[in-house]
Amino acid sequence: MKTTVIQAVKAYLAADEMSRQDLPYDLALALVKVKQATRAEMEAYAAAEKKLVERYAALDEAGNVTIRNGRFTFRDPAAAAEYEAERQKLGQTQTEVSLPRLTAAAPERITPAALEALADFIKFREGK
């Protein structure tokens, strides 16, 4: 299936979060398959994003990225827009995920973000 890197990453993260729950077998299997199919995109995105951060972030005396309020600080604050544009472009890169759309029982509870992230990968059945 064709998708963007960021959609694959969001699906991976949603499947990973949901996989911590006790779920019906078909849903658990679908989540495992989504994670397996999107793992490479997740890892590639994380590595590329790390390189972007290293290029734009301020570093402390030990060479570590400086973090304030849970976010890195920019070496040059004027470069924030350039960083965001590059990060956006990275996320919008088209990719192919080798996974047909799956069908599984709808979970009793799911966050709207997880539902949105998984909708392209799993068609949830209503009822039992």
Side-chain angles (χ1 to χ4, degrees):
M1 110 183 355
K2 288 192 183 293
T3 190
T4 61
V5 170
I6 199 65
Q7 285 172 313
V9 167
K10 286 179 179 180
Y12 178 90
L13 294 172
D16 187 54
E17 181 65 30
M18 287 185 68
S19 69
R20 292 177 177 84
Q21 302 172 34
D22 188 24
L23 301 167
Y25 176 79
D26 69 329
L27 179 54
L29 181 61
L31 292 171
V32 167
K33 287 182 177 184
V34 168
K35 280 180 63 175
Q36 290 172 342
T38 57
R39 185 180 316 274
E41 284 77 10
M42 173 64 187
E43 291 171 353
Y45 180 82
E49 187 178 39
K50 182 179 178 189
K51 286 181 184 178
L52 273 178
V53 169
E54 289 170 350
R55 190 165 73 201
Y56 288 97
L59 304 177
D60 64 17
E61 310 80 42
N64 299 313
V65 172
T66 304
I67 306 290
R68 281 200 192 106
N69 299 323
R71 295 188 54 106
F72 74 89
T73 57
F74 286 93
R75 189 173 304 138
D76 175 8
E82 184 179 329
Y83 164 79
E84 284 300 330
E86 287 191 48
R87 187 169 170 264
Q88 183 82 7
K89 182 179 175 184
L90 173 64
Q92 294 306 315
T93 303
Q94 293 292 309
T95 189
E96 183 75 27
V97 174
S98 297
L99 183 72
R101 189 164 187 224
L102 305 168
T103 302
E108 278 189 38
R109 299 176 61 93
I110 187 170
T111 65
L115 180 60
E116 183 179 26
L118 294 168
D120 289 342
F121 296 88
I122 302 173
K123 179 182 179 192
F124 293 108
R125 286 189 315 272
E126 293 297 320
K128 303 206 179 225

